Amino acid sequence: MSTPGINWSRLVAWMASNVPDVGEPTGVSLISGGKSNLTYRIDTRIDTGDRALVLRRPPLGHVLPTAHDMRREWRVISALAGTAVPVPEPVALCVDEDVIGAPFYLMGHVEGRAVRGRQDAELSPEDARALSERLAEILAAIHAVDYEAVGLADFGRPDGYMVRQLERWGQQWERSKTRELPEYDRLAVRLRDRLPAASRAALVHGDYRLDNTLVRLAPGAAPDIRAVVDWEMSTLGDPIADLGLTLTYWHDPGDDERSALPVAGDITLTPGFLDSRGFAEHYARVSGADLGDLDFYVAFGNYKLAVIVEGIHARFVQGKTVGEGFDEIGAAVPLLVARAHRALDEGL
């Protein structure tokens, strides 16, 4: 069985030795939609019937230092299991790169799907509003986790978080960039000059948006977010930075420029869905957070996303991406930089 990023025979042998209770692996398929870590469905057969698992591994090719850390994802979903934050069941971690060529982990398959565009879900205005409110409420729940109590006290260094974030993503840019962008350099200076006062420390997801959750859509029932996934950039830090990045992905009615960004879905254009300001206000209501510096965090979200997208573009240029939809992604980088400048100049 040949699947990019998977050595099937070695995976089957490793599972038989390390997690025999999950059943005999019978098939593997790439789950579409990811442009960073690779995610696969692993079908297994056990005495009581068939079971599905999900395998996560780093991307092929260009991998930045500290990025795509499977141990980190594994640790956080293991810590959050049983809390108010819905996550998949942690099953097993493998750090032996000889098995499939990279560290990976297995988690339980969740009955739900990533909802990114309006074609992914038919929502009534009432359901659209409920789903967007629930998205804000789960973000607030992540930020409310007692990270010391769940064993994540050493998961990050909250003091000086935003200073280090600016330095980190600047370094990632230098490692990833495929061209010179003077407006990016000017943006980095502006952000350093506008750093807000330190916020409270919280667990942050690092890439929170609707299509990094799994949504159950059942006839006659309100949409339900069953799990938050893609924790590769989670740490302890400033929770408003999480909110700022979520709003970076948001597509508001009338924002025609947003349609040119392949990193942004249009599910938020569904009638009834909260707009970006309404989402921020609902988050503030349920979390009690002060959003006085939100414009800075939205600008930073665009800055960070520009670096992430440039890294994806670099892998595409090297021919190291798996799947479709990468050929135009590089054009999003200067657009994201321009939107960051605009957030600093004009606000949300």
Side-chain angles (χ1 to χ4, degrees), residues 237-295:
D238 188 332
I240 311 306
D242 241 3
L243 175 63
L245 185 63
T246 301
L247 297 177
T248 297
Y249 287 108
W250 216 265
H251 192 163
D252 279 335
D255 185 0
D256 295 334
E257 181 183 65
R258 172 58 74 189
S259 301
L261 291 174
V263 293
D266 65 357
I267 187 64
T268 57
L269 294 179
T270 304
F273 228 89
L274 296 174
D275 63 13
S276 56
R277 185 169 296 280
F279 180 85
E281 291 172 349
H282 189 66
Y283 169 85
R285 279 194 296 273
V286 296
S287 68
D290 180 356
L291 302 186
D293 291 310
L294 185 57
D295 297 345

Coordinates of all heavy atoms in Angstrom, one line a residue, residues 237-295:
G237 N 0.6 31.8 26.6 CA 0.9 33.1 26.1 C -0.3 34.0 26.3 O -1.1 33.9 27.2
D238 N -0.4 35.0 25.4 CA -1.4 36.1 25.4 C -2.7 35.6 24.7 O -2.7 35.4 23.5 CB -0.8 37.3 24.7 CG -1.7 38.5 24.9 OD1 -2.9 38.4 25.0 OD2 -1.1 39.6 24.9
P239 N -3.8 35.5 25.4 CA -5.0 34.9 24.8 C -5.6 35.9 23.7 O -6.2 35.4 22.7 CB -6.0 34.8 25.9 CG -5.5 35.7 27.0 CD -4.0 35.7 26.9
I240 N -5.3 37.2 23.7 CA -5.9 38.0 22.7 C -5.1 37.9 21.4 O -5.7 38.1 20.3 CB -5.9 39.5 23.2 CG1 -6.5 39.6 24.6 CG2 -6.7 40.4 22.2 CD1 -7.8 39.0 24.7
A241 N -3.9 37.3 21.4 CA -3.2 37.0 20.2 C -4.0 35.9 19.5 O -4.1 35.8 18.2 CB -1.8 36.6 20.5
D242 N -4.5 34.9 20.2 CA -5.4 33.9 19.7 C -6.6 34.5 19.0 O -6.9 34.1 17.8 CB -5.8 32.9 20.8 CG -5.3 31.5 20.6 OD1 -4.6 31.2 19.7 OD2 -5.7 30.7 21.4
L243 N -7.3 35.4 19.7 CA -8.4 36.0 19.1 C -8.1 36.8 17.8 O -8.8 36.7 16.8 CB -9.1 36.9 20.1 CG -10.3 37.8 19.6 CD1 -11.4 36.9 19.2 CD2 -10.7 38.7 20.7
G244 N -7.0 37.5 17.9 CA -6.6 38.3 16.7 C -6.3 37.5 15.5 O -6.7 37.9 14.4
L245 N -5.7 36.3 15.7 CA -5.5 35.4 14.5 C -6.8 34.9 14.0 O -7.0 34.8 12.8 CB -4.6 34.3 14.9 CG -4.2 33.4 13.7 CD1 -3.4 34.2 12.6 CD2 -3.3 32.2 14.2
T246 N -7.7 34.5 14.9 CA -9.1 34.0 14.4 C -9.7 35.1 13.6 O -10.3 34.8 12.5 CB -10.0 33.7 15.7 OG1 -9.3 32.7 16.4 CG2 -11.3 33.2 15.2
L247 N -9.7 36.3 14.0 CA -10.3 37.4 13.2 C -9.6 37.7 11.9 O -10.2 38.2 10.9 CB -10.3 38.7 14.1 CG -11.2 38.6 15.3 CD1 -11.1 39.9 16.1 CD2 -12.6 38.3 15.0
T248 N -8.3 37.3 11.8 CA -7.5 37.4 10.6 C -8.1 36.5 9.5 O -8.2 36.8 8.3 CB -6.1 37.1 10.8 OG1 -5.5 38.0 11.7 CG2 -5.3 37.1 9.5
Y249 N -8.6 35.4 9.9 CA -9.2 34.4 9.0 C -10.7 34.8 8.6 O -11.2 34.3 7.7 CB -9.3 33.0 9.6 CG -8.0 32.3 9.7 CD1 -7.3 32.1 10.9 CD2 -7.3 31.8 8.6 CE1 -6.1 31.5 11.0 CE2 -6.1 31.1 8.6 CZ -5.5 31.0 9.9 OH -4.3 30.3 9.9
W250 N -11.3 35.7 9.4 CA -12.7 35.9 9.3 C -13.0 36.6 7.9 O -12.3 37.6 7.5 CB -13.2 36.8 10.4 CG -14.6 36.5 10.9 CD1 -15.8 37.0 10.5 CD2 -15.0 35.5 11.8 NE1 -16.8 36.5 11.1 CE2 -16.4 35.5 12.0 CE3 -14.3 34.5 12.6 CZ2 -17.1 34.6 12.8 CZ3 -14.9 33.7 13.4 CH2 -16.3 33.8 13.6
H251 N -14.1 36.2 7.3 CA -14.5 36.8 6.0 C -15.8 37.6 6.3 O -16.9 37.0 6.5 CB -14.7 35.8 4.9 CG -14.9 36.3 3.6 ND1 -14.7 35.6 2.4 CD2 -15.2 37.6 3.1 CE1 -14.9 36.3 1.4 NE2 -15.2 37.5 1.8
D252 N -15.7 38.9 6.3 CA -16.9 39.7 6.6 C -17.6 40.1 5.3 O -17.0 40.2 4.2 CB -16.5 41.0 7.3 CG -16.3 40.8 8.8 OD1 -16.9 39.9 9.4 OD2 -15.6 41.6 9.4
P253 N -19.0 40.2 5.3 CA -19.7 40.7 4.1 C -19.1 42.0 3.6 O -18.8 42.9 4.4 CB -21.1 40.9 4.6 CG -21.2 39.9 5.8 CD -19.9 39.9 6.5
G254 N -18.9 42.1 2.3 CA -18.4 43.4 1.7 C -16.9 43.4 1.6 O -16.3 44.3 1.0
D255 N -16.2 42.4 2.2 CA -14.7 42.4 2.1 C -14.3 41.6 0.9 O -13.9 40.4 1.0 CB -14.2 41.8 3.4 CG -12.6 41.8 3.5 OD1 -12.0 42.3 2.5 OD2 -12.1 41.4 4.5
D256 N -14.4 42.2 -0.3 CA -14.1 41.5 -1.5 C -12.6 41.1 -1.6 O -12.3 40.0 -2.2 CB -14.4 42.4 -2.7 CG -15.9 42.7 -2.8 OD1 -16.7 41.9 -2.3 OD2 -16.3 43.8 -3.4
E257 N -11.8 41.8 -1.0 CA -10.3 41.4 -1.0 C -10.1 40.1 -0.3 O -9.2 39.3 -0.8 CB -9.5 42.5 -0.2 CG -8.0 42.2 -0.2 CD -7.3 43.3 0.6 OE1 -7.6 43.3 1.9 OE2 -6.5 44.1 0.1
R258 N -10.9 39.7 0.7 CA -10.8 38.5 1.4 C -10.9 37.3 0.4 O -10.3 36.2 0.6 CB -11.8 38.4 2.5 CG -11.9 37.1 3.2 CD -10.6 36.6 3.8 NE -10.3 37.4 5.0 CZ -9.1 37.3 5.6 NH1 -8.2 36.5 5.1 NH2 -8.9 38.0 6.7
S259 N -11.7 37.4 -0.6 CA -12.0 36.3 -1.5 C -10.7 36.0 -2.3 O -10.6 34.8 -2.8 CB -13.0 36.7 -2.6 OG -14.3 37.0 -1.9
A260 N -9.7 36.9 -2.3 CA -8.5 36.6 -3.0 C -7.5 35.8 -2.2 O -6.4 35.5 -2.7 CB -7.8 37.9 -3.5
L261 N -7.8 35.6 -0.9 CA -7.0 34.8 0.0 C -7.3 33.4 0.0 O -8.4 33.0 0.5 CB -7.0 35.4 1.4 CG -6.4 36.8 1.6 CD1 -6.7 37.3 3.0 CD2 -4.9 36.8 1.3
P262 N -6.5 32.5 -0.5 CA -6.9 31.1 -0.6 C -6.9 30.5 0.8 O -7.3 29.3 1.0 CB -5.8 30.5 -1.4 CG -4.6 31.4 -1.3 CD -5.2 32.8 -1.2
V263 N -6.3 31.2 1.8 CA -6.3 30.6 3.2 C -7.6 30.9 3.9 O -7.7 30.5 5.1 CB -5.1 31.3 4.0 CG1 -3.8 30.8 3.4 CG2 -5.2 32.8 4.0
A264 N -8.5 31.6 3.3 CA -9.7 32.0 4.0 C -10.9 31.3 3.4 O -11.2 31.5 2.2 CB -9.9 33.5 4.0
G265 N -11.7 30.7 4.2 CA -13.0 30.1 3.8 C -14.1 31.2 3.9 O -13.9 32.3 4.4
D266 N -15.2 30.9 3.3 CA -16.3 31.9 3.3 C -17.5 31.5 4.1 O -18.6 32.0 4.0 CB -16.7 32.2 1.9 CG -17.4 31.0 1.1 OD1 -17.5 29.9 1.7 OD2 -17.8 31.2 0.0
I267 N -17.3 30.5 5.0 CA -18.4 30.0 5.8 C -19.0 31.2 6.7 O -20.2 31.2 7.0 CB -18.0 28.9 6.8 CG1 -19.2 28.3 7.5 CG2 -16.9 29.3 7.7 CD1 -20.3 27.6 6.6
T268 N -18.2 32.2 7.1 CA -18.6 33.2 7.9 C -19.5 34.2 7.2 O -20.1 35.1 7.8 CB -17.4 34.0 8.5 OG1 -16.6 34.5 7.5 CG2 -16.6 33.1 9.4
L269 N -19.7 34.0 5.8 CA -20.6 34.9 5.1 C -22.0 34.3 5.1 O -23.0 34.9 4.6 CB -20.2 35.0 3.6 CG -18.9 35.7 3.3 CD1 -18.5 35.7 1.8 CD2 -18.9 37.1 3.8
T270 N -22.2 33.1 5.7 CA -23.5 32.6 5.8 C -24.5 33.5 6.6 O -24.1 34.0 7.7 CB -23.5 31.2 6.6 OG1 -22.5 30.3 5.9 CG2 -24.8 30.5 6.6
P271 N -25.7 33.8 6.1 CA -26.6 34.6 6.9 C -26.8 34.1 8.3 O -27.0 32.9 8.5 CB -27.9 34.6 6.0 CG -27.4 34.3 4.6 CD -26.2 33.4 4.8
G272 N -26.7 35.0 9.2 CA -26.8 34.7 10.6 C -25.5 34.6 11.4 O -25.4 34.7 12.6
F273 N -24.4 34.3 10.6 CA -23.1 34.2 11.2 C -22.7 35.5 11.8 O -22.9 36.5 11.2 CB -22.1 33.7 10.2 CG -21.2 32.6 10.6 CD1 -21.6 31.3 10.4 CD2 -20.0 32.8 11.3 CE1 -20.8 30.2 10.8 CE2 -19.2 31.8 11.7 CZ -19.6 30.5 11.4
L274 N -22.1 35.5 13.0 CA -21.6 36.7 13.5 C -20.5 37.3 12.6 O -19.7 36.5 12.0 CB -21.0 36.5 14.9 CG -21.9 36.1 16.0 CD1 -21.1 35.7 17.3 CD2 -22.9 37.2 16.3
D275 N -20.5 38.6 12.4 CA -19.3 39.2 11.7 C -18.1 39.3 12.7 O -18.2 38.9 13.9 CB -19.7 40.6 11.1 CG -20.0 41.6 12.2 OD1 -19.8 41.4 13.4 OD2 -20.5 42.7 11.8
S276 N -17.0 39.8 12.2 CA -15.8 39.7 13.1 C -15.9 40.5 14.3 O -15.5 40.1 15.4 CB -14.6 40.2 12.3 OG -14.8 41.5 11.7
R277 N -16.6 41.7 14.2 CA -16.8 42.5 15.4 C -17.7 41.8 16.4 O -17.5 41.8 17.6 CB -17.3 43.9 15.0 CG -17.4 44.9 16.2 CD -17.6 46.3 15.8 NE -16.5 46.8 15.0 CZ -15.4 47.3 15.5 NH1 -15.2 47.3 16.8 NH2 -14.5 47.7 14.7
G278 N -18.8 41.2 15.9 CA -19.8 40.5 16.7 C -19.1 39.3 17.4 O -19.4 39.0 18.6
F279 N -18.2 38.6 16.7 CA -17.5 37.5 17.3 C -16.7 38.0 18.4 O -16.6 37.4 19.5 CB -16.7 36.8 16.2 CG -16.0 35.6 16.7 CD1 -16.6 34.3 16.8 CD2 -14.6 35.7 17.1 CE1 -15.8 33.2 17.2 CE2 -13.9 34.6 17.6 CZ -14.5 33.4 17.6
A280 N -15.9 39.0 18.2 CA -15.0 39.6 19.3 C -15.8 40.0 20.5 O -15.4 39.8 21.6 CB -14.2 40.7 18.7
E281 N -17.0 40.6 20.2 CA -17.8 41.1 21.3 C -18.4 39.9 22.1 O -18.5 40.0 23.4 CB -18.9 42.0 20.8 CG -18.4 43.3 20.3 CD -19.5 44.1 19.6 OE1 -20.6 43.6 19.3 OE2 -19.3 45.3 19.3
H282 N -18.8 38.8 21.4 CA -19.3 37.7 22.1 C -18.2 37.0 23.0 O -18.4 36.6 24.1 CB -19.9 36.7 21.2 CG -20.7 35.6 21.8 ND1 -21.8 35.8 22.5 CD2 -20.4 34.2 21.9 CE1 -22.2 34.6 23.0 NE2 -21.4 33.7 22.7
Y283 N -17.0 36.9 22.4 CA -15.9 36.4 23.1 C -15.6 37.2 24.4 O -15.4 36.7 25.5 CB -14.6 36.3 22.3 CG -13.4 36.1 23.0 CD1 -12.9 34.8 23.3 CD2 -12.6 37.1 23.5 CE1 -11.8 34.5 24.0 CE2 -11.4 36.9 24.3 CZ -11.0 35.6 24.5 OH -9.9 35.3 25.2
A284 N -15.7 38.5 24.3 CA -15.4 39.4 25.4 C -16.5 39.2 26.5 O -16.2 39.2 27.7 CB -15.4 40.9 25.0
R285 N -17.7 39.0 26.1 CA -18.8 38.8 27.0 C -18.6 37.5 27.8 O -18.8 37.5 29.1 CB -20.2 38.7 26.3 CG -20.8 40.1 26.0 CD -22.2 40.0 25.6 NE -22.4 39.2 24.4 CZ -22.4 39.7 23.2 NH1 -22.2 41.0 23.0 NH2 -22.6 38.9 22.1
V286 N -18.2 36.4 27.2 CA -18.1 35.2 27.9 C -16.8 35.0 28.6 O -16.7 34.2 29.6 CB -18.4 34.0 26.9 CG1 -19.8 34.0 26.4 CG2 -17.4 33.9 25.8
S287 N -15.8 35.7 28.2 CA -14.4 35.6 28.8 C -14.1 36.7 29.8 O -13.2 36.5 30.6 CB -13.4 35.6 27.7 OG -13.3 36.9 27.1
G288 N -14.8 37.9 29.6 CA -14.4 39.0 30.5 C -13.2 39.7 30.0 O -12.6 40.5 30.8
A289 N -12.7 39.4 28.8 CA -11.4 40.0 28.4 C -11.5 41.4 28.0 O -12.5 41.9 27.5 CB -10.9 39.1 27.2
D290 N -10.4 42.2 28.2 CA -10.3 43.6 27.7 C -9.7 43.5 26.3 O -8.6 43.0 26.0 CB -9.3 44.3 28.6 CG -9.1 45.8 28.2 OD1 -9.7 46.2 27.2 OD2 -8.4 46.5 29.0
L291 N -10.5 44.1 25.3 CA -10.1 44.1 23.9 C -9.6 45.5 23.5 O -9.7 45.8 22.3 CB -11.2 43.6 23.1 CG -11.8 42.2 23.4 CD1 -12.8 41.8 22.4 CD2 -10.7 41.2 23.5
G292 N -9.1 46.2 24.4 CA -8.6 47.6 24.0 C -7.5 47.6 23.0 O -7.4 48.6 22.2
D293 N -6.7 46.6 22.9 CA -5.6 46.6 21.9 C -5.8 45.6 20.8 O -4.9 45.1 20.2 CB -4.3 46.2 22.7 CG -3.8 47.2 23.6 OD1 -3.7 48.4 23.2 OD2 -3.5 46.9 24.8
L294 N -7.1 45.3 20.5 CA -7.4 44.3 19.5 C -6.8 44.6 18.2 O -6.4 43.7 17.4 CB -8.9 44.1 19.4 CG -9.4 43.0 18.5 CD1 -8.8 41.6 18.9 CD2 -10.9 42.9 18.5
D295 N -6.8 45.9 17.8 CA -6.3 46.2 16.4 C -4.8 45.7 16.3 O -4.5 45.2 15.2 CB -6.3 47.7 16.2 CG -7.7 48.3 16.2 OD1 -8.7 47.4 16.1 OD2 -7.9 49.5 16.4

